Amino acid sequence: MYYQIFYLLGMSVGNYRNKPIMGGGVAASSHKFHSIGLVRFQFQYRPHETRGLRKLFHGDRYPPPQYPHADISCKNISSSITNCSTSSATPITAISTASEGGSNLLELAEIKESYRKWQWKGQYSINYFVSHSLSSSSSNSNPPLLLVHGFGASIPHWRRNIGTLAQNSTVYAIDLLGFGASDKPAGFNYTMETWAQLILDFLKEIVQKPTVLVGNSVGSLACVIAASESSRSLVQGLVLLNCAGGMNNKAIVDDWRIKLLLPLLWLFDFLLRQRGIASTIFENVRKRENLKNILLSVYANKESVDEELVEIIMEPTEDAGALDAFVSIVTGPPGPSPIQLMPRISLPVLILWGDEDPFTPLDGPVGKYFSSLPSQLPNVSLFVLEGVGHCPHDDRPALVHEKLLPWLAHLPAS
């Protein structure tokens, strides 16, 4: 959560020079940061590049950790992991590397034309989308899927996935309250628990079948909370794409980098509660160029950061209530920790983790915890995706589908 904002504070408050050079699908950058700008240097790192305070204080004393290729599950992450395996399955015909952008890519206009509305608690309009399974035999279809986006995203963030997943599953996607085309009520106090309850109520009232929850970032955490509180009559499985440790980074108290910066985070919360300051920061955040720079720092596959993606993130920020949602989410309580919740979940769980995620890196507390889970919980499978950032489903969708589709096909019947 704070990473995106500090990135921009580094631009506006710090001494920001030599902006990222964008061309040919790659981004190279050289920055000088002072004052608050240093925070962006601290956190916008990738493990294999040894950025951040480790490099600042220790230089290259510690070699960068090595992570496996996407075709190998968890290898070299932990010698104690027992249910990881090398993937040698025949490539799925519905997926091709040549269609990384998605041969089944849905047009943005097509998605928006199919939007539906659901009244949650009789007062909040929630936007959702449904694509019914294309399978000719309902008995061969997978359970329905509910796709839950991360911070700042919305339903179209799944445009590269819905077409492929809908071949054998009915696919639902939802805009969480405060995001996308869902309501953004003024003065609302957003919490992880609220979003989890929203998901459970949606399953009860709209889907009405045992469902596999698929979430990214904070959407993943909302799915974890929902799964930990539900029965198999609602949730049949759980797919986590680079799960967040909390609604904001005040939750990651085990990371010494966060501990070091806690006074700055508290100061930032105080500043955001001042309407004028919050409005200025928010306007800076939502500028097209700034959003694109943030996305380029989050995605490993720079070609996926196109103008349509920028528009998907930018458009909802123009809605009334968007500023209030931004402030409430960033300054609010981080919510339950996935470390506390995961042991409660006995459902099948698939974890897909991009190894070039600067927000929840594999060598951070959250990444390390999820990497250790397969050795502790027999219901958990983990695949590390090489060359993938914080949003695997949109960064390199073919790699995600390669792991997700066989896992869905082998789920036990509900």
Side-chain angles (χ1 to χ4, degrees):
M1 289 291 306
Y2 283 105
Y3 306 127
Q4 300 105 315
I5 301 159
F6 286 146
Y7 178 93
L8 294 166
L9 286 175
M11 296 167 60
S12 59
V13 181
N15 183 6
Y16 184 89
R17 297 189 179 95
N18 302 322
K19 292 183 179 179
I21 302 168
M22 288 170 280
V26 294
S29 61
S30 174
H31 305 82
K32 284 188 179 180
F33 291 97
H34 302 284
S35 185
I36 286 180
L38 177 63
V39 178
R40 192 267 179 187
F41 174 75
Q42 303 283 59
F43 285 89
Q44 292 292 342
Y45 77 101
R46 296 188 174 95
H48 70 286
E49 293 174 347
T50 61
R51 293 184 184 175
L53 285 178
R54 177 174 60 186
K55 186 171 182 180
L56 179 66
F57 292 144
H58 302 293
D60 295 322
R61 183 190 309 173
Y62 300 112
Q66 299 298 316
Y67 295 113
H69 187 271
D71 285 342
I72 300 176
S73 164
C74 324
K75 186 177 179 182
N76 297 330
I77 293 293
S78 170
S79 59
S80 62
I81 293 178
T82 57
N83 70 334
C84 303
S85 61
T86 302
S87 172
S88 58
T90 303
I92 299 169
T93 56
I95 304 168
S96 67
T97 305
S99 64
E100 188 72 277
S103 59
N104 292 314
L105 174 70
L106 293 187
E107 296 294 334
L108 190 56
E110 181 183 357
I111 294 175
K112 290 183 176 182
E113 287 171 1
S114 301
Y115 279 167
R116 303 184 183 190
K117 298 296 181 182
W118 166 58
Q119 286 299 117
W120 183 45
K121 296 182 179 294
Q123 56 181 325
Y124 303 119
S125 177
I126 301 300
N127 187 54
Y128 75 96
F129 172 94
V130 59
S131 180
H132 291 287
S133 172
L134 300 177
S135 174
S136 58
S137 172
S138 60
S139 62
N140 293 329
S141 295
N142 295 325
L145 310 178
L146 175 59
L147 311 180
V148 185
H149 61 79
F151 174 73
S154 56
I155 291 169
H157 204 207
W158 302 99
R159 69 201 185 284
R160 294 186 170 115
N161 316 107
I162 293 172
T164 296
L165 297 177
Q167 291 179 15
N168 291 290
S169 302
T170 294
V171 178
Y172 293 84
I174 192 170
D175 283 340
L176 294 173
L177 189 71
F179 292 113
S182 288
D183 276 356
K184 304 169 184 65
F188 191 88
N189 292 320
Y190 293 89
T191 66
M192 292 302 313
E193 294 90 340
T194 297
W195 288 329
Q197 189 59 53
L198 168 63
I199 290 170
L200 291 175
D201 290 345
F202 184 83
L203 297 183
K204 290 177 187 175
E205 298 182 24
I206 303 298
V207 184
Q208 299 181 349
K209 291 181 180 179
T211 302
V212 174
L213 302 179
V214 183
N216 173 229
S217 189
V218 293
S220 275
L221 181 54
C223 291
V224 169
I225 300 170
S228 71
E229 297 177 353
S230 74
S231 66
R232 287 183 181 268
S233 64
L234 284 179
V235 181
Q236 188 171 346
L238 189 59
V239 180
L240 308 177
L241 305 169
N242 289 60
C243 186
M247 191 168 73
N248 49 57
N249 289 309
K250 293 191 290 291
I252 313 176
V253 295
D254 293 334
D255 190 327
W256 65 274
R257 292 164 289 202
I258 295 291
K259 288 181 179 179
L260 186 66
L261 294 168
L262 272 177
L264 184 58
L265 302 184
W266 293 330
L267 173 61
F268 187 67
D269 281 0
F270 171 78
L271 293 175
L272 272 183
R273 292 188 181 102
Q274 316 308 310
R275 189 74 180 185
I277 296 174
S279 179
T280 299
I281 293 174
F282 185 66
E283 287 304 311
N284 194 27
V285 167
R286 62 180 298 275
K287 289 179 180 177
R288 181 176 296 273
E289 180 184 1
N290 291 344
L291 284 176
K292 187 164 188 177
N293 285 335
I294 291 171
L295 291 166
L296 284 168
S297 74
V298 174
Y299 279 60
N301 178 19
K302 308 306 178 186
E303 293 181 357
S304 291
V305 183
D306 53 21
E307 291 304 314
E308 185 173 75
L309 175 60
V310 176
E311 184 62 28
I312 288 169
I313 304 298
M314 183 176 176
E315 184 179 10
T317 66
E318 300 173 357
D319 294 346
L323 172 60
D324 287 344
F326 172 80
V327 172
S328 176
I329 293 165
V330 172
T331 62
S337 166
I339 296 174
Q340 300 169 338
L341 299 178
M342 286 302 297
R344 303 181 193 171
I345 298 174
S346 59
L347 301 163
V349 178
L350 174 65
I351 300 171
L352 301 177
W353 211 281
D355 74 335
E356 295 191 21
D357 182 356
F359 291 179
T360 50
L362 274 169
D363 71 345
V366 177
K368 286 180 178 178
Y369 172 73
F370 278 102
S371 296
S372 73
L373 277 184
S375 64
Q376 304 173 34
L377 303 174
N379 58 309
V380 176
S381 299
L382 167 70
F383 292 92
V384 174
L385 305 181
E386 188 178 70
V388 179
H390 187 63
C391 307
H393 61 289
D394 193 50
D395 195 324
R396 295 196 183 274
L399 292 181
V400 170
H401 299 157
E402 180 183 324
K403 301 303 178 188
L404 176 56
L405 295 182
W407 183 85
L408 290 171
H410 288 90
L411 280 179
S414 58

